[in-house]
Amino acid sequence: MKYQWIEAYCMAKKGVIKDYQNEWEAFRYFVGGKMFVMQGSDKAGNAIITLKCDPIDAEMLRAKYEAIIPGYYMNKKHWNSIDLNGNISDELMKKMIDVSYELIFEKLTKKKQAEIQSGI
């Protein structure tokens, strides 16, 4: 896999915790108890990462990149899955992870956001 930096990149964000979902054979990254990244594989065994997206941006990215498809086992309007063997630049991958984190973080209560920002 060419994106070996994903775990460190996700874990460097404030308030992130990681777990492993046995049933899905996937690593999940959470902020404030809400998932923003799932990294695993599809039914064919292809390595994928699934990220929350703005619905308009999600459609645009799918149209532009073959490696980006509607979220695998997720709400297809709000999530995209990216084939980790595809041709997506590190810069774009990081931007998509950042957007996913921000979309989830913004939906948290102001109290929860403050706790995460202060490291409580």
Side-chain angles (χ1 to χ4, degrees), residues 35-36 50-54 78-80 96 99-100 103-104:
M35 185 177 74
F36 73 100
T50 302
L51 305 166
K52 181 108 174 161
C53 303
D54 171 80
H78 296 280
W79 294 83
N80 274 345
M96 289 188 294
V99 166
S100 185
L103 287 169
I104 298 298

Side-chain angles (χ1 to χ4, degrees), residues 13 39 62:
K13 296 185 172 302
Q39 187 176 359
R62 292 175 202 159

